[in-house]
Structures are given as C-alpha cells and as structure tokens.
Amino acid sequence: MINLSLDRHDFLFAVEGFARGSHLRQHVWGEIVYRSIPQMSDDDMDYFWFYMRRDIFKQYFYELNGKKNTHVGYEDFMHALAALHRGNRYMVTFYSEIEHKQLQALCYRFNGEYHPLYLYIDGKVVGKTKKSSGLQSFHAFVPKAWIKAVAKHKAPENRHVELGREEWWNDLEIYDNFKTELL
C-alpha cells in the first residue's frame, strides 16, 4: 500500500488525468475519489465537487453531430459527484434484515437509491477504528423496503460555485435522473 499526501490542486489534477484515460482508469471514482472523502474537509468536498462538475463533466456528457453521447465511466463519475455533494445528504433510519436491528445511515441519493456514507448505532460510526474511517462501500445502498424514515439535511452554501452556475449546486434531481436528463 502506498500512502500519498496531495494538496487539493494536485489531487484534482491527478484525478483529471485518470478521468481522461481509457476505460481501464475509470476505477478512479470509486477507488480514489470516494475513498478519500473521510480525509476531506467540508471545503475540500465543495472544491472538488465544483471543479469536477465544471471541468470534467463535459468529457463524460457531450454532443457530437447533434446527438448526445457519453464516455465510458460516466455512471461512476456521477456517483462520485453525488457522494461529494454536501447538499445531497439524508439521515436514513432503517431496519436491517441482515443485522436484525434498526440502524441509521448518513446517505446521499444516487440513481433512485440512498447510498450510505456511514452507518450509525447508538450515535457511533459502525466500523470506525484507528485504521478505518467506517466509510461504507461505493456500491452499498439501503433497500427501499427497509427504510422507515428519511430526513434531508439542510443544504450548505458552496463558496466555490461561480456566479451563474448556482443551478448546478441546487439541482439534486440530476443524480436520480441523469440517464434521462443528460442522454
């Protein structure tokens, strides 16, 4: 295992380099960006969300000869954007059919599902140790049948969003409807 320490600019440039590569590099969204969330401050998440939305989005969703197209990896890119967006946060209370107990999860919405960032039991993050943040799997979601209650968190301001692009920050529907809205 190699541990790197990058400032936000170097991290963004590295991610952009991966994103512009072939299908073999698209693991960047789940394995590098998503897994780095526990190391990010709120301001870091806002920064990465905005600059990835502004600078990388157009490489995944583009028009060619009047037809809308996507580049391989677009789903994982949108998934990572949904996870980074701090306005896309929900506290979901559910009864786990696996654990046979009621749990809470800090989630984000993506593709019609609530995806947990962290699970909580009695207010403590499940799986958090000195070596683990407790971050849940990139592909985990809470089955709809298990959900008992959902409380949306208040959307924070993002100081990195440029004037005229506020709609990007406010449009949370895009994470559930990107396949119909953008394709």
PDB file of all heavy atoms in Angstrom, residues 56-88:
ATOM      1  N   ILE A  56     -14.664  18.460 -15.612  1.00  0.00           N
ATOM      2  CA  ILE A  56     -14.620  17.061 -16.048  1.00  0.00           C
ATOM      3  C   ILE A  56     -15.960  16.592 -16.602  1.00  0.00           C
ATOM      4  O   ILE A  56     -16.013  15.746 -17.487  1.00  0.00           O
ATOM      5  CB  ILE A  56     -14.138  16.144 -14.895  1.00  0.00           C
ATOM      6  CG1 ILE A  56     -12.734  16.580 -14.451  1.00  0.00           C
ATOM      7  CG2 ILE A  56     -14.144  14.688 -15.311  1.00  0.00           C
ATOM      8  CD1 ILE A  56     -12.202  15.841 -13.238  1.00  0.00           C
ATOM      9  N   PHE A  57     -17.051  17.161 -16.136  1.00  0.00           N
ATOM     10  CA  PHE A  57     -18.403  16.775 -16.545  1.00  0.00           C
ATOM     11  C   PHE A  57     -18.533  16.701 -18.065  1.00  0.00           C
ATOM     12  O   PHE A  57     -19.071  15.743 -18.614  1.00  0.00           O
ATOM     13  CB  PHE A  57     -19.402  17.781 -15.963  1.00  0.00           C
ATOM     14  CG  PHE A  57     -20.840  17.461 -16.207  1.00  0.00           C
ATOM     15  CD1 PHE A  57     -21.546  16.677 -15.316  1.00  0.00           C
ATOM     16  CD2 PHE A  57     -21.506  17.956 -17.322  1.00  0.00           C
ATOM     17  CE1 PHE A  57     -22.883  16.389 -15.530  1.00  0.00           C
ATOM     18  CE2 PHE A  57     -22.838  17.677 -17.540  1.00  0.00           C
ATOM     19  CZ  PHE A  57     -23.529  16.888 -16.641  1.00  0.00           C
ATOM     20  N   LYS A  58     -18.049  17.715 -18.752  1.00  0.00           N
ATOM     21  CA  LYS A  58     -18.229  17.807 -20.214  1.00  0.00           C
ATOM     22  C   LYS A  58     -17.485  16.712 -20.974  1.00  0.00           C
ATOM     23  O   LYS A  58     -17.791  16.451 -22.131  1.00  0.00           O
ATOM     24  CB  LYS A  58     -17.848  19.191 -20.716  1.00  0.00           C
ATOM     25  CG  LYS A  58     -16.427  19.594 -20.433  1.00  0.00           C
ATOM     26  CD  LYS A  58     -16.184  21.056 -20.806  1.00  0.00           C
ATOM     27  CE  LYS A  58     -14.856  21.539 -20.308  1.00  0.00           C
ATOM     28  NZ  LYS A  58     -14.929  22.248 -19.056  1.00  0.00           N
ATOM     29  N   GLN A  59     -16.542  16.063 -20.342  1.00  0.00           N
ATOM     30  CA  GLN A  59     -15.877  14.971 -21.040  1.00  0.00           C
ATOM     31  C   GLN A  59     -16.698  13.684 -20.977  1.00  0.00           C
ATOM     32  O   GLN A  59     -16.538  12.801 -21.800  1.00  0.00           O
ATOM     33  CB  GLN A  59     -14.465  14.768 -20.524  1.00  0.00           C
ATOM     34  CG  GLN A  59     -14.294  13.639 -19.569  1.00  0.00           C
ATOM     35  CD  GLN A  59     -12.865  13.494 -19.140  1.00  0.00           C
ATOM     36  OE1 GLN A  59     -12.149  14.455 -18.950  1.00  0.00           O
ATOM     37  NE2 GLN A  59     -12.453  12.266 -18.960  1.00  0.00           N
ATOM     38  N   TYR A  60     -17.583  13.575 -20.001  1.00  0.00           N
ATOM     39  CA  TYR A  60     -18.451  12.404 -19.893  1.00  0.00           C
ATOM     40  C   TYR A  60     -19.776  12.583 -20.627  1.00  0.00           C
ATOM     41  O   TYR A  60     -20.382  11.609 -21.062  1.00  0.00           O
ATOM     42  CB  TYR A  60     -18.711  12.064 -18.429  1.00  0.00           C
ATOM     43  CG  TYR A  60     -17.521  11.414 -17.784  1.00  0.00           C
ATOM     44  CD1 TYR A  60     -16.677  12.128 -16.955  1.00  0.00           C
ATOM     45  CD2 TYR A  60     -17.219  10.087 -18.030  1.00  0.00           C
ATOM     46  CE1 TYR A  60     -15.568  11.535 -16.375  1.00  0.00           C
ATOM     47  CE2 TYR A  60     -16.118   9.476 -17.454  1.00  0.00           C
ATOM     48  CZ  TYR A  60     -15.298  10.213 -16.632  1.00  0.00           C
ATOM     49  OH  TYR A  60     -14.201   9.615 -16.074  1.00  0.00           O
ATOM     50  N   PHE A  61     -20.257  13.812 -20.703  1.00  0.00           N
ATOM     51  CA  PHE A  61     -21.523  14.114 -21.363  1.00  0.00           C
ATOM     52  C   PHE A  61     -21.258  15.178 -22.418  1.00  0.00           C
ATOM     53  O   PHE A  61     -20.922  16.308 -22.074  1.00  0.00           O
ATOM     54  CB  PHE A  61     -22.546  14.621 -20.347  1.00  0.00           C
ATOM     55  CG  PHE A  61     -22.833  13.631 -19.261  1.00  0.00           C
ATOM     56  CD1 PHE A  61     -22.140  13.687 -18.060  1.00  0.00           C
ATOM     57  CD2 PHE A  61     -23.777  12.634 -19.434  1.00  0.00           C
ATOM     58  CE1 PHE A  61     -22.394  12.770 -17.053  1.00  0.00           C
ATOM     59  CE2 PHE A  61     -24.025  11.708 -18.437  1.00  0.00           C
ATOM     60  CZ  PHE A  61     -23.330  11.776 -17.240  1.00  0.00           C
ATOM     61  N   TYR A  62     -21.394  14.812 -23.682  1.00  0.00           N
ATOM     62  CA  TYR A  62     -21.065  15.740 -24.749  1.00  0.00           C
ATOM     63  C   TYR A  62     -21.977  15.499 -25.949  1.00  0.00           C
ATOM     64  O   TYR A  62     -22.647  14.460 -26.050  1.00  0.00           O
ATOM     65  CB  TYR A  62     -19.598  15.583 -25.162  1.00  0.00           C
ATOM     66  CG  TYR A  62     -19.246  14.214 -25.672  1.00  0.00           C
ATOM     67  CD1 TYR A  62     -19.227  13.942 -27.040  1.00  0.00           C
ATOM     68  CD2 TYR A  62     -18.941  13.175 -24.798  1.00  0.00           C
ATOM     69  CE1 TYR A  62     -18.911  12.681 -27.516  1.00  0.00           C
ATOM     70  CE2 TYR A  62     -18.623  11.918 -25.263  1.00  0.00           C
ATOM     71  CZ  TYR A  62     -18.618  11.672 -26.621  1.00  0.00           C
ATOM     72  OH  TYR A  62     -18.318  10.417 -27.090  1.00  0.00           O
ATOM     73  N   GLU A  63     -22.026  16.481 -26.830  1.00  0.00           N
ATOM     74  CA  GLU A  63     -22.815  16.375 -28.041  1.00  0.00           C
ATOM     75  C   GLU A  63     -21.883  16.251 -29.242  1.00  0.00           C
ATOM     76  O   GLU A  63     -20.887  16.959 -29.335  1.00  0.00           O
ATOM     77  CB  GLU A  63     -23.709  17.605 -28.185  1.00  0.00           C
ATOM     78  CG  GLU A  63     -25.082  17.249 -28.675  1.00  0.00           C
ATOM     79  CD  GLU A  63     -26.053  18.409 -28.617  1.00  0.00           C
ATOM     80  OE1 GLU A  63     -26.490  18.746 -27.507  1.00  0.00           O
ATOM     81  OE2 GLU A  63     -26.342  18.955 -29.696  1.00  0.00           O
ATOM     82  N   LEU A  64     -22.235  15.358 -30.144  1.00  0.00           N
ATOM     83  CA  LEU A  64     -21.447  15.151 -31.351  1.00  0.00           C
ATOM     84  C   LEU A  64     -22.423  14.952 -32.511  1.00  0.00           C
ATOM     85  O   LEU A  64     -23.285  14.067 -32.445  1.00  0.00           O
ATOM     86  CB  LEU A  64     -20.533  13.935 -31.195  1.00  0.00           C
ATOM     87  CG  LEU A  64     -19.605  13.608 -32.354  1.00  0.00           C
ATOM     88  CD1 LEU A  64     -18.588  14.744 -32.570  1.00  0.00           C
ATOM     89  CD2 LEU A  64     -18.872  12.305 -32.091  1.00  0.00           C
ATOM     90  N   ASN A  65     -22.311  15.799 -33.511  1.00  0.00           N
ATOM     91  CA  ASN A  65     -23.211  15.751 -34.669  1.00  0.00           C
ATOM     92  C   ASN A  65     -24.687  15.804 -34.262  1.00  0.00           C
ATOM     93  O   ASN A  65     -25.519  15.081 -34.800  1.00  0.00           O
ATOM     94  CB  ASN A  65     -22.949  14.507 -35.516  1.00  0.00           C
ATOM     95  CG  ASN A  65     -21.551  14.467 -36.065  1.00  0.00           C
ATOM     96  OD1 ASN A  65     -20.980  15.501 -36.413  1.00  0.00           O
ATOM     97  ND2 ASN A  65     -20.971  13.271 -36.144  1.00  0.00           N
ATOM     98  N   GLY A  66     -24.974  16.655 -33.260  1.00  0.00           N
ATOM     99  CA  GLY A  66     -26.350  16.840 -32.807  1.00  0.00           C
ATOM    100  C   GLY A  66     -26.901  15.722 -31.948  1.00  0.00           C
ATOM    101  O   GLY A  66     -28.072  15.731 -31.584  1.00  0.00           O
ATOM    102  N   LYS A  67     -26.077  14.747 -31.595  1.00  0.00           N
ATOM    103  CA  LYS A  67     -26.518  13.617 -30.771  1.00  0.00           C
ATOM    104  C   LYS A  67     -25.802  13.640 -29.430  1.00  0.00           C
ATOM    105  O   LYS A  67     -24.602  13.869 -29.364  1.00  0.00           O
ATOM    106  CB  LYS A  67     -26.204  12.309 -31.508  1.00  0.00           C
ATOM    107  CG  LYS A  67     -26.723  11.084 -30.789  1.00  0.00           C
ATOM    108  CD  LYS A  67     -26.402   9.808 -31.554  1.00  0.00           C
ATOM    109  CE  LYS A  67     -26.879   8.629 -30.746  1.00  0.00           C
ATOM    110  NZ  LYS A  67     -25.956   7.526 -30.752  1.00  0.00           N
ATOM    111  N   LYS A  68     -26.563  13.383 -28.335  1.00  0.00           N
ATOM    112  CA  LYS A  68     -25.980  13.324 -27.003  1.00  0.00           C
ATOM    113  C   LYS A  68     -25.211  12.016 -26.845  1.00  0.00           C
ATOM    114  O   LYS A  68     -25.685  10.955 -27.247  1.00  0.00           O
ATOM    115  CB  LYS A  68     -27.063  13.430 -25.926  1.00  0.00           C
ATOM    116  CG  LYS A  68     -27.717  14.790 -25.881  1.00  0.00           C
ATOM    117  CD  LYS A  68     -28.762  14.846 -24.808  1.00  0.00           C
ATOM    118  CE  LYS A  68     -29.369  16.229 -24.738  1.00  0.00           C
ATOM    119  NZ  LYS A  68     -30.369  16.332 -23.678  1.00  0.00           N
ATOM    120  N   ASN A  69     -24.023  12.117 -26.272  1.00  0.00           N
ATOM    121  CA  ASN A  69     -23.147  10.957 -26.096  1.00  0.00           C
ATOM    122  C   ASN A  69     -22.572  10.938 -24.686  1.00  0.00           C
ATOM    123  O   ASN A  69     -22.541  11.962 -24.006  1.00  0.00           O
ATOM    124  CB  ASN A  69     -21.979  11.022 -27.093  1.00  0.00           C
ATOM    125  CG  ASN A  69     -22.421  10.812 -28.508  1.00  0.00           C
ATOM    126  OD1 ASN A  69     -22.679   9.698 -28.918  1.00  0.00           O
ATOM    127  ND2 ASN A  69     -22.530  11.904 -29.261  1.00  0.00           N
ATOM    128  N   THR A  70     -22.088   9.769 -24.309  1.00  0.00           N
ATOM    129  CA  THR A  70     -21.399   9.632 -23.024  1.00  0.00           C
ATOM    130  C   THR A  70     -20.068   8.937 -23.267  1.00  0.00           C
ATOM    131  O   THR A  70     -19.890   8.234 -24.255  1.00  0.00           O
ATOM    132  CB  THR A  70     -22.206   8.778 -22.028  1.00  0.00           C
ATOM    133  OG1 THR A  70     -22.430   7.493 -22.589  1.00  0.00           O
ATOM    134  CG2 THR A  70     -23.523   9.440 -21.668  1.00  0.00           C
ATOM    135  N   HIS A  71     -19.172   9.151 -22.339  1.00  0.00           N
ATOM    136  CA  HIS A  71     -17.879   8.474 -22.357  1.00  0.00           C
ATOM    137  C   HIS A  71     -17.926   7.388 -21.283  1.00  0.00           C
ATOM    138  O   HIS A  71     -18.574   7.546 -20.244  1.00  0.00           O
ATOM    139  CB  HIS A  71     -16.762   9.482 -22.047  1.00  0.00           C
ATOM    140  CG  HIS A  71     -15.388   8.922 -22.200  1.00  0.00           C
ATOM    141  ND1 HIS A  71     -14.745   8.261 -21.193  1.00  0.00           N
ATOM    142  CD2 HIS A  71     -14.540   8.901 -23.258  1.00  0.00           C
ATOM    143  CE1 HIS A  71     -13.553   7.874 -21.605  1.00  0.00           C
ATOM    144  NE2 HIS A  71     -13.405   8.248 -22.857  1.00  0.00           N
ATOM    145  N   VAL A  72     -17.233   6.295 -21.535  1.00  0.00           N
ATOM    146  CA  VAL A  72     -17.187   5.207 -20.562  1.00  0.00           C
ATOM    147  C   VAL A  72     -16.780   5.753 -19.193  1.00  0.00           C
ATOM    148  O   VAL A  72     -15.914   6.612 -19.080  1.00  0.00           O
ATOM    149  CB  VAL A  72     -16.227   4.085 -21.028  1.00  0.00           C
ATOM    150  CG1 VAL A  72     -14.795   4.563 -21.058  1.00  0.00           C
ATOM    151  CG2 VAL A  72     -16.346   2.859 -20.149  1.00  0.00           C
ATOM    152  N   GLY A  73     -17.478   5.308 -18.156  1.00  0.00           N
ATOM    153  CA  GLY A  73     -17.203   5.758 -16.798  1.00  0.00           C
ATOM    154  C   GLY A  73     -18.158   6.824 -16.310  1.00  0.00           C
ATOM    155  O   GLY A  73     -18.078   7.245 -15.154  1.00  0.00           O
ATOM    156  N   TYR A  74     -19.109   7.253 -17.146  1.00  0.00           N
ATOM    157  CA  TYR A  74     -19.993   8.356 -16.758  1.00  0.00           C
ATOM    158  C   TYR A  74     -20.833   8.038 -15.530  1.00  0.00           C
ATOM    159  O   TYR A  74     -21.084   8.918 -14.713  1.00  0.00           O
ATOM    160  CB  TYR A  74     -20.874   8.807 -17.933  1.00  0.00           C
ATOM    161  CG  TYR A  74     -22.039   7.894 -18.256  1.00  0.00           C
ATOM    162  CD1 TYR A  74     -23.297   8.123 -17.699  1.00  0.00           C
ATOM    163  CD2 TYR A  74     -21.892   6.826 -19.122  1.00  0.00           C
ATOM    164  CE1 TYR A  74     -24.364   7.302 -18.003  1.00  0.00           C
ATOM    165  CE2 TYR A  74     -22.951   6.001 -19.428  1.00  0.00           C
ATOM    166  CZ  TYR A  74     -24.191   6.238 -18.873  1.00  0.00           C
ATOM    167  OH  TYR A  74     -25.248   5.422 -19.169  1.00  0.00           O
ATOM    168  N   GLU A  75     -21.258   6.784 -15.354  1.00  0.00           N
ATOM    169  CA  GLU A  75     -22.075   6.450 -14.184  1.00  0.00           C
ATOM    170  C   GLU A  75     -21.268   6.585 -12.896  1.00  0.00           C
ATOM    171  O   GLU A  75     -21.756   7.137 -11.908  1.00  0.00           O
ATOM    172  CB  GLU A  75     -22.652   5.047 -14.301  1.00  0.00           C
ATOM    173  CG  GLU A  75     -23.794   4.966 -15.283  1.00  0.00           C
ATOM    174  CD  GLU A  75     -24.482   3.614 -15.246  1.00  0.00           C
ATOM    175  OE1 GLU A  75     -24.973   3.239 -14.156  1.00  0.00           O
ATOM    176  OE2 GLU A  75     -24.522   2.946 -16.294  1.00  0.00           O
ATOM    177  N   ASP A  76     -20.050   6.074 -12.890  1.00  0.00           N
ATOM    178  CA  ASP A  76     -19.220   6.187 -11.680  1.00  0.00           C
ATOM    179  C   ASP A  76     -18.826   7.632 -11.412  1.00  0.00           C
ATOM    180  O   ASP A  76     -18.725   8.045 -10.253  1.00  0.00           O
ATOM    181  CB  ASP A  76     -17.974   5.311 -11.795  1.00  0.00           C
ATOM    182  CG  ASP A  76     -18.276   3.830 -11.599  1.00  0.00           C
ATOM    183  OD1 ASP A  76     -19.392   3.492 -11.149  1.00  0.00           O
ATOM    184  OD2 ASP A  76     -17.395   3.008 -11.891  1.00  0.00           O
ATOM    185  N   PHE A  77     -18.622   8.416 -12.462  1.00  0.00           N
ATOM    186  CA  PHE A  77     -18.345   9.845 -12.286  1.00  0.00           C
ATOM    187  C   PHE A  77     -19.522  10.521 -11.597  1.00  0.00           C
ATOM    188  O   PHE A  77     -19.347  11.257 -10.614  1.00  0.00           O
ATOM    189  CB  PHE A  77     -18.069  10.509 -13.647  1.00  0.00           C
ATOM    190  CG  PHE A  77     -18.038  12.010 -13.585  1.00  0.00           C
ATOM    191  CD1 PHE A  77     -16.980  12.670 -12.986  1.00  0.00           C
ATOM    192  CD2 PHE A  77     -19.072  12.761 -14.121  1.00  0.00           C
ATOM    193  CE1 PHE A  77     -16.956  14.063 -12.914  1.00  0.00           C
ATOM    194  CE2 PHE A  77     -19.057  14.141 -14.063  1.00  0.00           C
ATOM    195  CZ  PHE A  77     -17.998  14.794 -13.455  1.00  0.00           C
ATOM    196  N   MET A  78     -20.741  10.286 -12.090  1.00  0.00           N
ATOM    197  CA  MET A  78     -21.925  10.894 -11.480  1.00  0.00           C
ATOM    198  C   MET A  78     -22.126  10.398 -10.048  1.00  0.00           C
ATOM    199  O   MET A  78     -22.538  11.147  -9.168  1.00  0.00           O
ATOM    200  CB  MET A  78     -23.165  10.622 -12.328  1.00  0.00           C
ATOM    201  CG  MET A  78     -23.196  11.394 -13.626  1.00  0.00           C
ATOM    202  SD  MET A  78     -23.175  13.194 -13.401  1.00  0.00           S
ATOM    203  CE  MET A  78     -24.779  13.488 -12.674  1.00  0.00           C
ATOM    204  N   HIS A  79     -21.799   9.137  -9.815  1.00  0.00           N
ATOM    205  CA  HIS A  79     -21.909   8.566  -8.472  1.00  0.00           C
ATOM    206  C   HIS A  79     -20.964   9.299  -7.520  1.00  0.00           C
ATOM    207  O   HIS A  79     -21.356   9.686  -6.406  1.00  0.00           O
ATOM    208  CB  HIS A  79     -21.582   7.078  -8.545  1.00  0.00           C
ATOM    209  CG  HIS A  79     -21.909   6.326  -7.298  1.00  0.00           C
ATOM    210  ND1 HIS A  79     -22.183   4.993  -7.313  1.00  0.00           N
ATOM    211  CD2 HIS A  79     -21.979   6.691  -5.999  1.00  0.00           C
ATOM    212  CE1 HIS A  79     -22.413   4.570  -6.073  1.00  0.00           C
ATOM    213  NE2 HIS A  79     -22.287   5.591  -5.261  1.00  0.00           N
ATOM    214  N   ALA A  80     -19.731   9.528  -7.947  1.00  0.00           N
ATOM    215  CA  ALA A  80     -18.770  10.253  -7.105  1.00  0.00           C
ATOM    216  C   ALA A  80     -19.221  11.695  -6.870  1.00  0.00           C
ATOM    217  O   ALA A  80     -19.102  12.208  -5.754  1.00  0.00           O
ATOM    218  CB  ALA A  80     -17.375  10.224  -7.732  1.00  0.00           C
ATOM    219  N   LEU A  81     -19.763  12.358  -7.899  1.00  0.00           N
ATOM    220  CA  LEU A  81     -20.280  13.725  -7.713  1.00  0.00           C
ATOM    221  C   LEU A  81     -21.405  13.742  -6.691  1.00  0.00           C
ATOM    222  O   LEU A  81     -21.470  14.634  -5.842  1.00  0.00           O
ATOM    223  CB  LEU A  81     -20.800  14.296  -9.034  1.00  0.00           C
ATOM    224  CG  LEU A  81     -19.851  15.001  -9.959  1.00  0.00           C
ATOM    225  CD1 LEU A  81     -20.606  15.620 -11.132  1.00  0.00           C
ATOM    226  CD2 LEU A  81     -19.028  16.061  -9.267  1.00  0.00           C
ATOM    227  N   ALA A  82     -22.301  12.759  -6.774  1.00  0.00           N
ATOM    228  CA  ALA A  82     -23.415  12.676  -5.824  1.00  0.00           C
ATOM    229  C   ALA A  82     -22.899  12.508  -4.392  1.00  0.00           C
ATOM    230  O   ALA A  82     -23.419  13.113  -3.453  1.00  0.00           O
ATOM    231  CB  ALA A  82     -24.346  11.521  -6.188  1.00  0.00           C
ATOM    232  N   ALA A  83     -21.870  11.690  -4.223  1.00  0.00           N
ATOM    233  CA  ALA A  83     -21.298  11.456  -2.889  1.00  0.00           C
ATOM    234  C   ALA A  83     -20.587  12.692  -2.353  1.00  0.00           C
ATOM    235  O   ALA A  83     -20.632  12.970  -1.153  1.00  0.00           O
ATOM    236  CB  ALA A  83     -20.339  10.274  -2.928  1.00  0.00           C
ATOM    237  N   LEU A  84     -19.935  13.450  -3.221  1.00  0.00           N
ATOM    238  CA  LEU A  84     -19.213  14.659  -2.791  1.00  0.00           C
ATOM    239  C   LEU A  84     -20.144  15.823  -2.457  1.00  0.00           C
ATOM    240  O   LEU A  84     -19.783  16.695  -1.674  1.00  0.00           O
ATOM    241  CB  LEU A  84     -18.247  15.118  -3.894  1.00  0.00           C
ATOM    242  CG  LEU A  84     -16.976  14.323  -4.074  1.00  0.00           C
ATOM    243  CD1 LEU A  84     -16.267  14.757  -5.349  1.00  0.00           C
ATOM    244  CD2 LEU A  84     -16.056  14.475  -2.874  1.00  0.00           C
ATOM    245  N   HIS A  85     -21.319  15.854  -3.050  1.00  0.00           N
ATOM    246  CA  HIS A  85     -22.238  16.993  -2.908  1.00  0.00           C
ATOM    247  C   HIS A  85     -22.834  17.025  -1.497  1.00  0.00           C
ATOM    248  O   HIS A  85     -23.690  16.227  -1.153  1.00  0.00           O
ATOM    249  CB  HIS A  85     -23.348  16.889  -3.944  1.00  0.00           C
ATOM    250  CG  HIS A  85     -24.127  18.136  -4.126  1.00  0.00           C
ATOM    251  ND1 HIS A  85     -24.775  18.768  -3.098  1.00  0.00           N
ATOM    252  CD2 HIS A  85     -24.340  18.884  -5.227  1.00  0.00           C
ATOM    253  CE1 HIS A  85     -25.380  19.838  -3.557  1.00  0.00           C
ATOM    254  NE2 HIS A  85     -25.126  19.930  -4.856  1.00  0.00           N
ATOM    255  N   ARG A  86     -22.389  17.985  -0.684  1.00  0.00           N
ATOM    256  CA  ARG A  86     -22.847  18.054   0.711  1.00  0.00           C
ATOM    257  C   ARG A  86     -24.302  18.480   0.850  1.00  0.00           C
ATOM    258  O   ARG A  86     -24.903  18.292   1.908  1.00  0.00           O
ATOM    259  CB  ARG A  86     -21.955  18.990   1.518  1.00  0.00           C
ATOM    260  CG  ARG A  86     -20.554  18.442   1.710  1.00  0.00           C
ATOM    261  CD  ARG A  86     -19.696  19.279   2.628  1.00  0.00           C
ATOM    262  NE  ARG A  86     -19.758  20.703   2.379  1.00  0.00           N
ATOM    263  CZ  ARG A  86     -20.273  21.608   3.229  1.00  0.00           C
ATOM    264  NH1 ARG A  86     -20.726  21.243   4.398  1.00  0.00           N
ATOM    265  NH2 ARG A  86     -20.279  22.888   2.903  1.00  0.00           N
ATOM    266  N   GLY A  87     -24.900  19.017  -0.199  1.00  0.00           N
ATOM    267  CA  GLY A  87     -26.330  19.327  -0.178  1.00  0.00           C
ATOM    268  C   GLY A  87     -27.190  18.103  -0.429  1.00  0.00           C
ATOM    269  O   GLY A  87     -28.404  18.139  -0.274  1.00  0.00           O
ATOM    270  N   ASN A  88     -26.565  17.005  -0.794  1.00  0.00           N
ATOM    271  CA  ASN A  88     -27.231  15.746  -1.119  1.00  0.00           C
ATOM    272  C   ASN A  88     -27.047  14.769   0.048  1.00  0.00           C
ATOM    273  O   ASN A  88     -26.526  13.678  -0.113  1.00  0.00           O
ATOM    274  CB  ASN A  88     -26.623  15.184  -2.415  1.00  0.00           C
ATOM    275  CG  ASN A  88     -27.334  13.960  -2.939  1.00  0.00           C
ATOM    276  OD1 ASN A  88     -28.473  13.692  -2.607  1.00  0.00           O
ATOM    277  ND2 ASN A  88     -26.636  13.197  -3.769  1.00  0.00           N
TER     278      ASN A  88
END
